Amino acid sequence: MNLITIEHLTKSYTERLLFDDTDFAVNEGEKIGIIGINGTGKSTFLKIAAGLEEPDRGAVVRERNLDIRYLPQNPVFTAGDTILESIIRDNEGHDHLWNLESQAKTMLTKVGIFDFDAKVETLSGGQRKRIALVSVLMSDTDLLILDEPTNHLDSQMAQWLEDYLKKFRGTILMITHDRYFLDSVTNRIVELDKGKFYSYQSGYEGYLKLKAERLDMEAASERKRQSILKVELAWMQRGARARSTKQKAHIQRYEALRDQKGPQADREVELESVSSRLGRTTVEAEGLCKAYGSKVLIEDFNYIFLKNDRVGIIGPNGSGKSTLMKMIAGWVQPDKGAVRMGQTVKMGYFSQENEAMDESLKVIEYIRSGAEYVQTRDGSVSASQMLERFLFPSEVQYTVISRLSGGEKRRLYLLRILMDAPNVLLLDEPTNDLDIRTLTILEDYLDGFEGIVIAVSHDRYFLDRTMRRIFAFEGQGRVTQYEGGFTDYQAATDIKSEEDGRQPGAKGKEEAKRKGTIRGKENRAREKKLKFTYQEQKDWEVIEDQIAQLEEEMEKLDIRIEAAARDFVKLKELMEEKEEKEKLLEEKMERWMYLNELADRIAADR
C-alpha cells in the first residue's frame, strides 16, 4: 500500500533546480535511505514528504489519516521548557500518555541525556538533536521521517538506534551518510541525482553493485551511440555514392542520434593531497591532564605522533574527545602536561561547529580571506577555480554563506582548511553533514596525504576505512590505545569482555565480515584496473585488417556493379551482396570504436 505518492515533482530554490519533473512513492513497511550530494535538495524533499513545504509543481498524495513524525536537521524547541516538558508537549496525543515520562527517561539515557530537568535553551546543538530524536521515536507512528538521525551520536548510541530502527514495525524515510547504518537498517536506497530519483531495492551494499551495473549499462549504450554516430557522420561527410530511397531515412537516423542526450557525468569534488614538509619533530603530548570540576576527562595522556600516523579517537559524548583535540591544536590549555610542536608543523583544524566560519561573508570572500591562489601539483590555482573543484560553481560563489545547506558549509569549511596545505590534520567529526560521495573522496585524499591525521569520529565506516590506530576514552580519564580500525577495536573489546567473564560487547566479530564486504566493494570499485578480455584482445589484433579487407571488397563490388548495369539478375545479386558487406562493415566499425576507446582508457588507467 502506498503511504505517499509524489508525481511530477518540480522545485527550485533560488537559481537551483532541485527536482525536475520526477516521481517518488513510499510504500508501507519500507525503510528507505535517501542519498545524494549536499545541496541537491534531500532535506527539502523530506519537508515536502512531511507536508511542511510545498512543491512548485506536482502532486503529493498521502494516505488518509497517515501519522507522520519528522526529525529535522536542526530542531527548534519552546524556550523555557525542560527536556521532559518538551517531549511530553510533542507527544500529547500518545496512546500511552500515563507511561510516557518513564519511557522518555529510559530512552533519554540511551542517548546520553541524564539531566531531565535541564532547560532546552541551555543545551548544545548535539544535545538538542538527540532530544528531538527521542521525541519522534516515542510515538507509535506510521511513518518516521528522519533527517540525519545519527549525527551527534557516539558509536554506542548509533548501535542502539540501529537496533531500534531494525525492529521498528512502521515505515522509515531518512537521510543518513552512515554507510554501515544504511546497510543494516534500510531495504531500499534512493539516490537523488540531477533532479531525478534512482531507486535500488537493497541496502547500501546492494546499492553499490546495482548502481555500478546501471552506470555500466548507460556507458555501454552511450559508447554504442557514439560509435554508430561516427559511422553515420562519416557517411554524411563523404556523401552517398549510390543514392537510394533509403537516403532520407538514413539522414533522419543520423539526426536523431546526433540530438539524443547522453548520460551526464557526475561532477566530483576534486581534492589533491598537497601538504607542507614535516620535519623529524612532529607533535608530542606529555602527561596531559584535564578536568572540569570533579569530572576528570583526561588523566596522564602521553603520545608521540609519528609521520603519516592515522589516529582515530572514539568514546561517549562528553568524555573529552574534542577537548583532547583542542589541546593538541592549542585552543585549550591542559591542567597539567604539555603539547610540543616541531618547527615545521603546520596544523589544520576541521572543528565540529565551524567556529572559524563567518557566515555573513560571501563564499568567494571567505576563501579569498585565506589565499587568492594556492599551489597544487597542477601549479597555481585561483580561489575561484578551487571552489569550482569543490562543486561551488560561479553562480554560487557570490552567495552569502548563511544561505548554504549544512553540508555545503562543511564542504566549504574543509576547502578553506586544506588550502593552507597543513601537514597535521585534525578532523573533529568530519563525516557530520558531508555526503557519501564527498566522504569517499575525502577518504581517498587521506590515503595520499603526506602528514599526520587525527580524527574524532562516530562514523564506524570512516574509522575502518582511514584509521590505523584507535584511542578509546574508557572513563575516569583513561584513554586506551588499540591497533587497527573500529572493527578491530570492537573485536579487541569483545575479547577483553570474554576474558573478564562478561558478555561480548557490540557486534565486532559478527559484523566484521559484513563491513569488510561493503568496504571491499567500494575499494574494488575504486581500485579495479581496466583490461581487455581474451576475446577483446583477439579482436583488437585483427579488426583493422578486417575493416581494410571489407573496404577493398566493397570497392571491387562497386566496379562489378557498374559493369553489370544491364544484367538485372546479376545486378540484384551484387546489390544484395553489397548490402551484407555494408552491414558487416558497420558492425566492425562499431566494434573498432569501442575497442579503440577502451584501449585509450586502459592506457590512461596505467
Side-chain angles (χ1 to χ4, degrees):
M1 179 174 63
N2 278 7
L3 300 184
I4 300 178
T5 303
I6 302 174
E7 296 180 337
H8 303 294
L9 175 63
T10 303
K11 179 78 174 180
S12 296
Y13 179 73
T14 61
E15 68 280 353
R16 301 187 202 182
L17 179 62
L18 299 180
F19 310 111
D20 183 12
D21 192 23
T22 191
D23 301 332
F24 192 93
V26 179
N27 299 310
E28 187 176 14
E30 287 189 311
K31 294 181 178 179
I32 304 170
I34 306 290
I35 64 175
I37 66 171
N38 294 133
T40 54
K42 299 188 300 295
S43 293
T44 300
F45 172 70
L46 291 194
K47 291 175 186 175
I48 291 172
L52 301 174
E53 196 164 321
E54 293 296 322
D56 296 339
R57 291 192 302 278
V60 181
V61 179
R62 300 175 189 84
E63 186 193 31
R64 184 175 297 178
N65 300 321
L66 179 65
D67 183 30
I68 298 174
R69 292 302 306 272
Y70 168 65
L71 174 71
Q73 199 169 96
N74 299 298
V76 177
F77 295 86
T78 301
D81 277 357
T82 66
I83 292 172
L84 268 180
E85 287 170 347
S86 175
I87 291 176
I88 291 170
R89 181 193 298 276
D90 287 345
N91 290 275
E92 286 177 339
H94 198 281
D95 290 339
H96 307 290
L97 188 61
W98 62 272
N99 199 30
L100 181 61
E101 186 172 318
S102 173
Q103 291 178 12
K105 288 179 178 178
T106 299
M107 201 172 286
L108 283 167
T109 60
K110 296 290 187 183
V111 296
I113 304 293
F114 302 98
D115 185 0
F116 310 130
D117 295 323
K119 299 291 186 182
V120 290
E121 61 265 28
T122 66
L123 305 176
S124 68
Q127 289 171 319
R128 293 183 185 186
K129 185 65 177 276
R130 283 179 271 147
I131 292 163
L133 174 63
V134 167
S135 183
V136 301
L137 295 180
M138 289 297 298
S139 62
D140 298 325
T141 189
D142 300 317
L143 173 61
L144 281 175
I145 298 182
L146 309 174
D147 196 343
E148 294 288 5
T150 61
N151 274 8
H152 308 290
L153 299 185
D154 62 38
S155 302
Q156 189 173 352
M157 295 173 191
Q159 187 70 62
W160 167 79
L161 179 61
E162 182 179 309
D163 293 338
Y164 183 92
L165 294 180
K166 284 165 70 175
K167 297 172 186 174
F168 178 68
R169 293 182 180 180
T171 304
I172 300 172
L173 177 64
M174 68 176 173
I175 297 168
T176 182
H177 304 140
D178 186 322
R179 287 155 284 184
Y180 285 161
F181 191 87
L182 274 172
D183 196 60
S184 179
V185 174
T186 62
N187 54 27
R188 179 181 167 202
I189 299 290
V190 177
E191 185 173 21
L192 176 56
D193 187 21
K194 305 176 189 72
K196 302 289 187 183
F197 290 111
Y198 297 90
S199 183
Y200 305 88
Q201 297 293 146
S202 69
Y204 184 71
E205 179 184 340
Y207 152 77
L208 291 173
K209 179 183 177 184
L210 293 171
K211 181 179 180 181
E213 290 175 357
R214 176 175 73 84
L215 294 178
D216 284 347
M217 288 174 62
E218 288 181 354
S221 296
E222 177 61 11
R223 282 197 302 268
K224 183 174 178 64
R225 184 180 77 90
Q226 290 293 339
S227 63
I228 295 173
L229 186 59
K230 288 178 182 178
V231 172
E232 295 295 304
L233 179 61
W235 181 88
M236 291 289 291
Q237 288 175 337
R238 76 170 185 266
R241 285 178 289 178
R243 300 292 176 183
S244 73
T245 57
K246 294 183 179 179
Q247 180 184 0
K248 185 176 180 181
H250 210 147
I251 293 171
Q252 289 173 340
R253 178 189 177 199
Y254 162 74
E255 290 175 343
L257 282 168
R258 180 197 62 196
D259 297 337
Q260 181 181 326
K261 287 186 178 180
Q264 254 183 295
D266 289 338
R267 296 178 64 217
E268 296 282 9
V269 175
E270 296 179 42
L271 282 175
E272 293 186 15
S273 294
V274 179
S275 59
S276 305
R277 187 188 69 84
L278 185 61
R280 293 180 62 184
T281 304
T282 60
V283 180
E284 300 179 4
E286 182 178 345
L288 296 184
C289 299
K290 190 67 181 179
Y292 288 100
S294 60
K295 184 174 183 179
V296 178
L297 297 181
I298 300 165
E299 183 67 36
D300 195 28
F301 176 79
N302 297 275
Y303 187 75
I304 297 174
F305 290 92
L306 307 175
K307 285 185 178 181
N308 296 317
D309 242 350
R310 299 292 187 270
V311 177
I313 302 174
I314 65 173
N317 286 338
S319 59
K321 305 185 299 296
S322 293
T323 300
L324 177 57
M325 291 278 276
K326 289 175 180 177
M327 284 197 289
I328 294 171
W331 288 23
V332 170
Q333 294 302 311
D335 298 337
K336 293 181 183 177
V339 177
R340 297 185 179 87
M341 299 281 181
Q343 290 185 348
T344 59
V345 167
K346 190 173 184 181
M347 193 166 287
Y349 185 19
F350 185 61
S351 69
Q352 191 171 158
E353 301 295 338
N354 301 359
E355 291 98 335
M357 176 178 280
D358 182 354
E359 295 195 7
S360 67
L361 293 176
K362 293 177 181 176
V363 170
I364 188 72
E365 292 172 343
Y366 175 64
I367 294 301
R368 283 175 176 165
S369 67
E372 182 68 43
Y373 291 91
V374 63
Q375 288 300 130
T376 72
R377 292 170 184 171
D378 293 338
S380 183
V381 178
S382 71
S384 180
Q385 289 171 321
M386 286 299 289
L387 283 167
E388 289 274 358
R389 293 183 177 193
F390 257 58
L391 303 188
F392 292 101
S394 55
E395 63 269 20
V396 177
Q397 294 179 13
Y398 289 88
T399 300
V400 176
I401 293 172
S402 60
R403 297 180 64 186
L404 300 178
S405 71
E408 287 173 311
K409 290 175 186 175
R410 291 292 277 171
R411 193 185 335 133
L412 181 65
Y413 186 42
L414 178 62
L415 170 59
R416 176 67 181 78
I417 289 161
L418 296 181
M419 281 188 70
D420 288 335
N423 49 33
V424 176
L425 199 51
L426 304 181
L427 305 173
D428 196 350
E429 296 292 2
T431 65
N432 277 3
D433 296 318
L434 287 183
D435 59 77
I436 289 175
R437 194 182 303 170
T438 304
L439 283 175
T440 59
I441 294 165
L442 173 60
E443 289 158 358
D444 288 343
Y445 171 88
L446 295 179
D447 287 343
F449 180 75
E450 296 179 356
I452 296 168
V453 181
I454 309 166
V456 170
S457 181
H458 67 273
D459 189 315
R460 298 161 290 174
Y461 184 100
F462 178 82
L463 291 167
D464 275 341
R465 171 69 178 81
T466 60
M467 297 297 122
R468 297 193 288 268
R469 183 165 294 137
I470 298 292
F471 287 156
F473 278 69
E474 297 184 336
Q476 304 300 316
R478 186 174 71 255
V479 181
T480 305
Q481 179 177 321
Y482 297 87
E483 296 305 303
F486 183 82
T487 302
D488 299 308
Y489 154 77
Q490 273 191 321
T493 52
D494 281 352
I495 292 170
K496 284 173 63 177
S497 296
E498 290 170 358
E499 290 173 349
D500 292 343
R502 302 191 304 270
Q503 289 293 322
K507 304 176 217 173
K509 295 177 181 177
E510 298 174 13
E511 295 192 347
K513 184 177 180 181
R514 175 178 66 84
K515 294 175 178 180
T517 301
I518 300 171
R519 291 197 306 277
K521 283 183 177 290
E522 287 204 344
N523 290 338
R524 283 196 296 274
R526 283 191 290 266
E527 296 169 5
K528 185 179 178 183
K529 294 289 186 183
L530 289 171
K531 61 180 181 180
F532 280 134
T533 65
Y534 174 76
Q535 187 60 50
E536 286 170 341
Q537 183 64 46
K538 285 184 64 179
D539 289 351
W540 180 238
E541 291 170 357
V542 300
I543 197 163
E544 289 189 356
D545 290 340
Q546 291 174 339
I547 289 171
Q549 178 67 29
L550 280 168
E551 288 175 337
E552 185 178 332
E553 290 174 3
M554 287 180 66
E555 287 179 3
K556 291 178 179 177
L557 272 172
D558 285 339
I559 295 171
R560 294 173 63 192
I561 288 169
E562 189 173 346
R566 296 180 181 276
D567 186 343
F568 296 107
V569 175
K570 186 66 174 176
L571 183 63
K572 183 174 181 295
E573 291 176 358
L574 292 172
M575 290 297 292
E576 288 175 351
E577 185 180 351
K578 183 180 179 182
E579 190 172 335
E580 289 178 4
K581 297 283 186 188
E582 284 180 331
K583 184 178 179 181
L584 182 59
L585 178 60
E586 184 173 327
E587 290 173 357
K588 292 292 183 184
M589 286 292 292
E590 287 178 17
R591 183 66 169 167
W592 177 82
M593 296 285 187
Y594 163 72
L595 293 172
N596 186 61
E597 181 182 337
L598 183 56
D600 289 343
R601 290 167 59 203
I602 290 170
D605 198 40
R606 289 173 181 161

